[in-house]
């Protein structure tokens, strides 16, 4: 530990350490956050959901997009795994099927950043996975 | 990967630590590294989540899953099911006692819904042994702001404008106290943090020190800057080993960063903090007794004035504040007085932490805005009375407070309303009683406590409380007279008026408030020889109704003293001279043949 000798030092340190607890702060009010839920049941994992999840976490962080990436159990769309549900603030959830890295990149660039829908949406007949 | 994608927060408060939360952490760490997840998932011990009754608590973020009563052996399932497969472990989820449904996320648990966390903002959120996490939560930003952008007068004005009042019991305006201490001229002054917490059942100060020690350190430095002191002393009871340890670690880290010591943040201001240990006497929480105890003298109060602000530790001006009071300071500086004073009631601003206990479903530590009603606290947050029983009374303010009845349930809680209702805020203990509690016995119980804790320096407190206790004992044993009730009242008033310190001045409160609110129970004891709640053993009688008794011999076999006689299939009989009134027969009888009168 080196000494903090000025207010500027303190502010710099705060910025550095803030990212370490940002995830905790963000999860306090998930409704105002972009939420990405990756289906990670057995079928999902077998079809590469872990890689998809990792990609989301890393890519969103790289692009400095504040989002909550979580995993959920089986969404019941095993034929389309890996499946990913994206909830933009104040919008209805959208579920994408067959999300590999390329698809994930497209979801981030087009749906998350611009709010435009893309191919591969699974028609949603339920509300959210948690219910 | 630079940052963790998941955080597992495990409660490391005293309550949960006692149930092996450290071992839960070890197990989780082990499984995570076994599955190569230790770079993706972070496990850390935090301070108390407040829901100690359901501890140990494990919270999973970002999905905010709240696990209760976790055992070390559950670690495997949490990793295998939740972390790898994304399925919450159902059996560990909190069940809503009202409908038995599992509640997945912390935000949906009734216990947390009406709470606003200011003093407890970091408890259960950060690792208290890591100063960086505190700094990441704007820690020491308030100190930086005060030292570099504000004069001491401006800081004091901000605290005054916030309306913050002392959380240690008295409710004295904090900003005003700082101003008074500042205005006394002296080359040496002290900041004292009162962490004695003697009110039985209260544990908010301990939880703050265990869960967020830096907030107290930061506030003490700010106070030192305002009043012109270079030394802070924390008076903490030796029975709080975990709080002491965390505080020591925190002081060490702040010193390493140069946030304590000489020339803080290059501003030329210097401040150091030392610990002083108390032996756990209730009276030592009283500020003058506390100061004497720190000086190595007997922990006895002295007459005020002089107030500590004028002549305190070693005769020097000393500003004494409570732990929770301090915990509010950094937030007030960061968010502004006008943010803070919008929370609460007209004369009581901000929030208050309460320790909920007694016959209530959700026992624990809660922080609510001033002005929340007792009903909201007891029924919405506390989940109502245990086992579907009837609410009878709520005791606030600990041994110095009073017992309030149903008619006060909708009273907004603040300093003045509670006093008006015949009780007080105290440090925030809140004990709920149900129909089975005898109010005379409750008053006697509190008197027993004050009697033991009285320092004995002055007669009204030392002798008066003893007499009060004797009279109450007489009543609960069935030997009370109607005159005793008058005696109780007169004696209580005298003790209140003539005792030296707050202990004696408030010790009759439990007696007076039960006299005022539950006179019928006192009268039943002295006039009819009955204890309506069935608690006073001398006044109850267990009898067997021969019409209902089938002679099953169950009571006969269970009576510990052989007071029951009778043949098989013949009605049994209780010998009253032998019966110790343990109630076992009453509970055992399957035919309702035993009655309690
Ligand atoms: C018998 C007695 C016990 C007390 N115990 C405590 C205590 O445990 N903690 C505390 O902060 N204040 C306690 N007080 C109040 C202190 O005397 C003092 O008012 C308080 O520490 C001031 O801090 P505050 O203005 O921040 O509340 C007690 C007072 C009395 C009369
Ligand atoms: S009132 Fe009681 S505790 Fe206080 S100084 Fe007198 S004897 Fe001691
Ligand atoms: S109350 Fe206890 S002691 Fe008395 S008769 Fe029943 S079992 Fe025996
Ligand atoms: S000690 Fe764990 S919740 Fe309070």
């Amino acid at each position: 530990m080196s000494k903090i000798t000025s207010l500027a030092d303190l502010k710099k340190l705060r910025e550095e350490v803030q990212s370490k607890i940002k995830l905790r702060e963000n999860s306090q009010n998930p409704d105002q956050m972009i939420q990405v839920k990756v289906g990670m049941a057995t079928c999902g994992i077998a079809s590469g959901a872990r890689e998809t999840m990792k990609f989301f976490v890393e890519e969103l962080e790289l692009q400095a997009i504040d989002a909550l990436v979580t995993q959920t159990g089986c969404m019941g769309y095993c034929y389309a795994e890996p499946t990913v549900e994206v909830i933009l603030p104040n919008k209805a959830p959208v579920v994408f099927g067959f999300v590999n890295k390329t698809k994930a990149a497209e979801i981030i660039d087009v749906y998350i950043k611009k709010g435009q829908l893309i191919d591969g949406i699974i028609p949603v007949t339920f509300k959210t996975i948690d219910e | 990967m630079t940052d963790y994608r998941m955080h597992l927060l495990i409660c490391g408060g005293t309550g949960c630590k006692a149930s092996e939360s450290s071992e839960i952490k070890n197990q989780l760490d082990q499984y995570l590294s076994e599955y190569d997840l230790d770079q993706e998932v972070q496990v850390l011990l935090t301070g108390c989540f407040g829901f100690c009754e359901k501890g140990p608590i494990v919270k999973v973020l970002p999905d905010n899953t709240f696990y209760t009563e976790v055992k070390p052996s559950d670690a495997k399932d949490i990793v295998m099911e939740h972390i790898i497969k994304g399925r919450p472990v159902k059996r560990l989820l909190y069940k809503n006692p009202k409908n038995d449904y599992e509640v997945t996320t912390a935000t949906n648990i009734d216990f947390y819904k009406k709470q606003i966390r200011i003093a407890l903002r970091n408890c259960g959120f950060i690792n208290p042994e890591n100063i960086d996490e505190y700094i990441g939560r704007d820690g020491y930003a308030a100190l930086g702001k005060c030292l570099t952008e504000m004069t001491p007068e401006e800081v004091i004005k901000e605290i005054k404008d916030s309306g913050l009042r002392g959380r240690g019991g008295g409710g004295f305006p904090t900003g005003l106290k700082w101003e008074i201490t500042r205005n006394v001229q002296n080359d040496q002054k002290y900041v004292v943090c009162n962490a004695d917490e003697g009110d039985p059942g209260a544990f908010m100060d301990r939880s703050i020190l265990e869960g967020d020690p830096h907030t107290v350190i930061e506030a003490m430095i700010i106070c030192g800057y305002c009043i012109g002191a270079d030394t802070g002393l924390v008076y903490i009871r030796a029975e709080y080993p975990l709080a002491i340890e965390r505080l020591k670690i925190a002081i060490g880290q702040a010193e390493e960063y140069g946030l304590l010591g000489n020339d803080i943040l290059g501003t030329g201001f210097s401040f150091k903090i030392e610990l002083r240990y108390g032996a756990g006497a209730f009276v030592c929480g009283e500020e003058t007794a506390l100061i004497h105890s720190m000086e190595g003298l007997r922990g006895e109060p002295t007459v005020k004035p002089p107030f500590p602000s004028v002549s305190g530790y070693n005769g020097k001006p000393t500003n004494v504040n409570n732990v929770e009071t301090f915990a509010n300071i950094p937030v007030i500086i960061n968010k502004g007085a006008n943010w803070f004073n919008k929370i609460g009631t007209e004369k009581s601003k901000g929030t208050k932490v309460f320790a909920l206990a007694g016959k209530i479903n959700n026992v624990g530590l809660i922080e609510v805005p001033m002005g929340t009603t007792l009903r909201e606290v007891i029924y919405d947050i506390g989940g109502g009375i245990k086992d579907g029983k009837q609410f009878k009374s709520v005791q606030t303010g600990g041994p110095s407070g009073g017992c309030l009845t149903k008619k006060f349930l909708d009273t907004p809680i603040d300093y003045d309303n509670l006093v008006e209702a015949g009780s007080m805020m105290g440090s925030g203990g809140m004990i709920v009683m149900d129909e089975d509690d005898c109010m005379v016995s409750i008053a006697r119980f509190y008197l027993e406590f004050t009697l033991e804790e009285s320092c004995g320096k002055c007669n009204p407190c030392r002798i008066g409380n003893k007499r009060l206790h004797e009279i109450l004992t007489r009543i609960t044993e069935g030997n009370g007279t109607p005159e005793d009730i008058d005696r109780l009242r007169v004696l209580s008033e005298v003790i209140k008026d003539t005792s030296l310190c707050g202990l004696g001045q408030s010790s009759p409160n439990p007696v007076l408030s039960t006299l005022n609110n539950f006179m019928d129970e006192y009268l039943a004891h002295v006039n009819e020889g009955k204890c309506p709640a069935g608690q006073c053993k001398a006044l109850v009688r267990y009898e067997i109704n021969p019409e209902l008794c089938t002679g099953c011999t169950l009571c006969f076999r269970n009576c510990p003293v052989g007071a029951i006689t009778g043949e098989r299939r013949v009605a049994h009989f209780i010998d009253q001279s032998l019966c110790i009134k343990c109630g076992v027969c009453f509970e055992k009888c399957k035919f309702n043949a035993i009655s309690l009168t």
Side-chain angles (χ1 to χ4, degrees), chain B residues 249-309:
Chain B
I249 294 174
I251 291 172
Q253 290 177 343
E255 283 169 351
E256 271 186 60
Y257 267 161
L259 294 167
L260 273 175
N262 291 327
D263 192 17
I264 297 169
L265 295 175
T267 59
F269 177 71
S270 304
F271 196 78
K272 61 172 191 285
I273 293 182
E274 292 167 11
L275 302 189
R276 292 285 186 276
Y277 305 109
F282 181 56
V283 75
C284 285
E286 195 282 332
E287 52 193 7
T288 60
L290 179 149
I291 287 167
H292 298 313
S293 165
M294 289 201 306
E295 291 166 340
L297 303 172
R298 282 177 75 144
E300 286 179 353
T302 42
V303 184
K304 296 190 276 192
F307 288 91
S309 292

Side-chain angles (χ1 to χ4, degrees), chain A residues 9-130:
Chain A
D9 269 9
L10 179 68
K11 285 188 171 152
K12 202 168 122 240
L13 177 65
R14 180 175 65 187
E15 256 149 51
E16 275 167 35
V17 291
Q18 232 156 13
S19 70
K20 295 209 168 65
I21 56 166
K22 197 163 73 190
L23 174 136
R24 275 177 246 163
E25 295 200 325
N26 286 346
S27 37
Q28 299 294 90
N29 35 5
D31 300 345
Q32 284 130 50
M33 300 288 303
I34 300 166
Q35 297 181 62
V36 178
K37 301 185 179 179
V38 184
M40 290 268 267
T42 321
C43 42
I45 294 173
S47 51
R50 277 191 63 78
E51 284 69 37
T52 304
M53 167 132 196
K54 260 192 139 127
F55 180 80
F56 269 110
V57 173
E58 284 167 14
E59 191 60 25
L60 288 166
E61 194 180 308
L62 206 69
Q63 300 205 26
I65 298 171
D66 258 353
L68 288 178
V69 182
T70 54
Q71 48 192 21
T72 68
C74 179
M75 299 195 207
Y77 301 99
C78 309
Y79 64 95
E81 294 290 352
T83 46
V84 171
E85 177 183 341
V86 181
I87 309 174
L88 300 183
N90 306 318
K91 289 221 172 119
V94 177
V95 180
F96 300 91
F98 303 108
V99 184
N100 53 20
K101 282 190 190 176
T102 331
K103 192 81 201 171
E106 199 187 343
I107 293 175
I108 294 177
D109 287 340
V110 182
Y111 184 61
I112 294 184
K113 281 163 73 176
K114 303 195 188 117
Q116 294 164 5
L117 293 177
I118 53 172
D119 281 353
I121 295 179
I122 301 178
V124 191
T125 46
F126 61 96
K127 284 193 253 145
T128 62
I129 297 162
D130 292 335

Side-chain angles (χ1 to χ4, degrees), chain B residues 283 301 454-458 461 499-501 503-504:
Chain B
V283 75
S454 162
C455 79
K457 183 170 177 168
C458 56
C461 173
S499 289
L500 190 158
C501 85
L503 191 150

